[in-house]
Amino acid sequence: MPVTAPLTAGRRPGLTLRARLALWAALATGLAVALVAGGLYLSVNGFLRQAQEQRLSSALEAVQGRVEGLFRPRPPEAGGMEDLLPSLLGVTTISQSDLERIARDLNGQGLNLRVVSTQGGQVQAVGTQAFPAGVPLTLSPGLHQSGDGAFLVLVRDLRGAARLHISLDARALGDAQRAFGRALTLLLPLALALSLLVGWVVAGRLLRPVRSLETAARAVGEGGDLRRPLPGAGQGDELARLALTLQGSFARLADARDREQSFLRAAAHDLRSPLAALTARVEGSLARDRDAARYRHDLQEIGTDIARLATLANHLLLLARDPAAVQRAPVPLRDLAADAVDRARELDPLADVDLEASQAVTVAGDRVLLGQAIWNLTTNAVRHAPGAAVTVCVEAQGGGALVTVRDDGPGVDADTLARLGEAFYRPDASRNLDTGGHGLGLALARHVAALHGGQLTLVSAPGQGFAAQLHLPGQGAGATAGPEA
């Protein structure tokens, strides 16, 4: 059976960040050099061409008058009156020597002249010996360039149906263009290589803090010390702020890890106690024969331990509930509070538990979680303030709702109040009493409030009772109040 290679097999590793930065620097430099060179080429080429055109125009102004001054009638042949007519009509003739003399007087500027005239229906041309061959005789007035770009020709009309052609050797412009191209061909690779080298060195210096941060982060991961300070962390540049953000994230992870470990230790401790009691009762019941009444009593005790385990497991599951799974539906808070009061009275028929809810209050939330939170606050007051009067109050407040469970019991001091709501925390006084709690009631109520965007506020002082206030905002459908049913 053929073996299929994994998709990642043979894949080349990507370029490092340093190499990418160096390449981008070289590319940016190459583009900049190309743009600057192109601009210089166009500017220099335009400047040289403009200078040559000005030379032609200046030469034309200096030559035109002299050439027209050389126009002279062609003498008639002896005895022929028919040759007198062209002379009378102003037909002129200019010799090549005249044009050569004018061209020499231009101080050797590389200019050549040609005069083209139409006489008797025929086109005649007289020019200097160096005037470029192949230039058409029928050029219109204006500036022209030869096909190979070697010459510029300026044409101007003269009197007597003639035109003056002045040519200028433009090969110097082509030579300059070729020299510029050779220089660019040589300099561009050198500029790219230099920019690549500089980019590599600069990128190495810029990424040195990143390497230090990578080493420190690897050491944190391998050593597990999430509170270890990272190098360069601060409010300076982007890398310093990144290091500071990572350091803060690691610290929050360390806090979460500590809370999780404390939670697991406390959960293991609280699970161990009912499990040990349950095991001892089962072993004691099976150790010897007992009568039916004693077996019934043992089973009732075992049932109590199982109920405590079930309650603890239910609270742990609610605490671990995914916030995304929280439902959003209209929840009648007064109904939940009334149910909690009824259950508390069933739990302790002697308990003094009352409900104050003059109007129905509805919020958007999870009915199971909100019901458990109100029940936890109510049973917490009944258990930890035995004999005290407990009041559960539900009211609308600022577009949201407020559920208050208060008692007139002994209250707690400030240090204990600050820790109430932590998972598995129970004051020493409550631990000495067999209340059946696990220290999760207030923690669960606080967690439920946070899941609904609210908060749990605890108010107490020694001798002044205890009050737990569950604030719920008006989310989704909002909080609505109606008349008393």
Side-chain angles (χ1 to χ4, degrees), residues 28 59 63 73 80 91 108 156 187 194 201 211 227 229 307 328 431 460:
V63 169
V91 177
R156 177 72 64 85
L187 291 177
L194 181 61
V201 174
R211 290 193 295 271
R227 291 189 174 85
R328 289 290 185 270
R431 288 185 183 272
S460 183

Side-chain angles (χ1 to χ4, degrees), residues 291-360:
D291 55 17
R294 186 53 186 259
Y295 277 125
R296 186 179 297 108
H297 179 269
D298 289 345
L299 289 176
Q300 289 176 350
E301 294 293 334
I302 292 173
T304 300
D305 291 335
I306 292 176
R308 293 181 63 186
L309 284 174
T311 302
L312 177 59
N314 182 54
H315 284 181
L316 291 176
L317 290 175
L318 290 177
L319 283 175
R321 191 164 182 174
D322 185 4
V326 176
Q327 298 181 0
R328 289 290 185 270
V331 178
L333 293 180
R334 187 171 64 174
D335 294 348
L336 298 182
D339 181 67
V341 170
D342 292 340
R343 291 172 60 191
R345 290 171 179 171
E346 294 176 358
L347 181 66
D348 185 0
L350 300 179
D352 183 9
V353 186
D354 293 320
L355 173 66
E356 291 183 1
S358 60
Q359 57 185 358

Side-chain angles (χ1 to χ4, degrees), residues 103-114:
R104 286 194 300 270
D105 292 343
L106 294 177
N107 299 323
Q109 299 180 12
L111 297 172
N112 289 283
L113 307 177
R114 184 175 69 179

Side-chain angles (χ1 to χ4, degrees), residues 462-477:
Q464 298 182 12
F466 186 90
Q469 298 176 335
L470 181 63
H471 301 268
L472 298 173
Q475 300 177 350

Side-chain angles (χ1 to χ4, degrees), residues 72-361:
R72 53 184 180 273
R74 185 170 53 191
E77 297 180 1
M81 293 299 297
E82 66 278 4
D83 292 332
L84 182 61
L85 182 59
S87 300
L88 295 177
L89 293 177
V91 177
T92 60
T93 179
I94 297 178
S95 65
Q96 182 178 358
S97 59
D98 294 332
L99 296 180
E100 293 284 359
R101 184 175 63 256
I102 295 176
R104 286 194 300 270
D105 292 343
L106 294 177
N107 299 323
Q109 299 180 12
L111 297 172
N112 289 283
L113 307 177
R114 184 175 69 179
V115 175
V116 179
S117 61
T118 303
Q119 297 181 1
Q122 295 181 355
V123 178
Q124 299 180 0
V126 178
T128 59
Q129 186 176 3
F131 193 88
V135 177
L137 300 177
T138 58
L139 292 177
S140 60
L143 182 65
H144 304 272
Q145 189 172 8
S146 62
D148 55 1
F151 296 94
L152 291 177
V153 180
L154 184 60
V155 180
R156 177 72 64 85
D157 285 332
L158 301 176
R159 61 183 176 86
R163 287 179 177 173
L164 174 62
H165 296 188
I166 301 180
S167 69
L168 175 64
D169 190 351
R171 286 175 293 184
L173 179 60
D175 294 340
Q177 293 174 350
R178 286 187 292 271
F180 190 86
R182 288 193 299 270
L184 182 61
T185 303
L186 177 63
L187 291 177
L188 184 58
L190 291 177
L192 290 176
L194 181 61
S195 63
L196 187 61
L197 177 60
V198 173
W200 180 265
V201 174
V202 172
R205 287 183 170 271
L206 291 177
L207 294 177
R208 187 176 300 168
V210 177
R211 290 193 295 271
S212 300
L213 184 60
E214 177 188 2
T215 303
R218 185 182 298 110
V220 168
E222 294 174 352
D225 183 10
L226 296 177
R227 291 189 174 85
R228 177 179 179 179
L230 297 180
Q235 296 294 339
D237 56 8
E238 290 81 355
L239 291 178
R241 293 194 295 271
L242 174 60
L244 183 63
T245 301
L246 289 176
Q247 182 172 291
S249 300
F250 288 162
R252 287 189 292 272
L253 287 175
D255 294 338
R257 183 184 62 183
D258 293 343
R259 288 194 300 269
E260 180 182 359
Q261 291 176 351
S262 299
F263 180 86
L264 291 176
R265 285 194 296 267
H269 177 272
D270 279 36
L271 283 172
R272 187 185 304 115
S273 298
L275 284 175
L278 180 60
T279 302
R281 287 193 176 94
V282 171
E283 291 177 351
S285 298
L286 297 177
R288 60 182 181 275
D289 293 336
R290 298 170 183 252
D291 55 17
R294 186 53 186 259
Y295 277 125
R296 186 179 297 108
H297 179 269
D298 289 345
L299 289 176
Q300 289 176 350
E301 294 293 334
I302 292 173
T304 300
D305 291 335
I306 292 176
R308 293 181 63 186
L309 284 174
T311 302
L312 177 59
N314 182 54
H315 284 181
L316 291 176
L317 290 175
L318 290 177
L319 283 175
R321 191 164 182 174
D322 185 4
V326 176
Q327 298 181 0
R328 289 290 185 270
V331 178
L333 293 180
R334 187 171 64 174
D335 294 348
L336 298 182
D339 181 67
V341 170
D342 292 340
R343 291 172 60 191
R345 290 171 179 171
E346 294 176 358
L347 181 66
D348 185 0
L350 300 179
D352 183 9
V353 186
D354 293 320
L355 173 66
E356 291 183 1
S358 60
Q359 57 185 358
V361 179

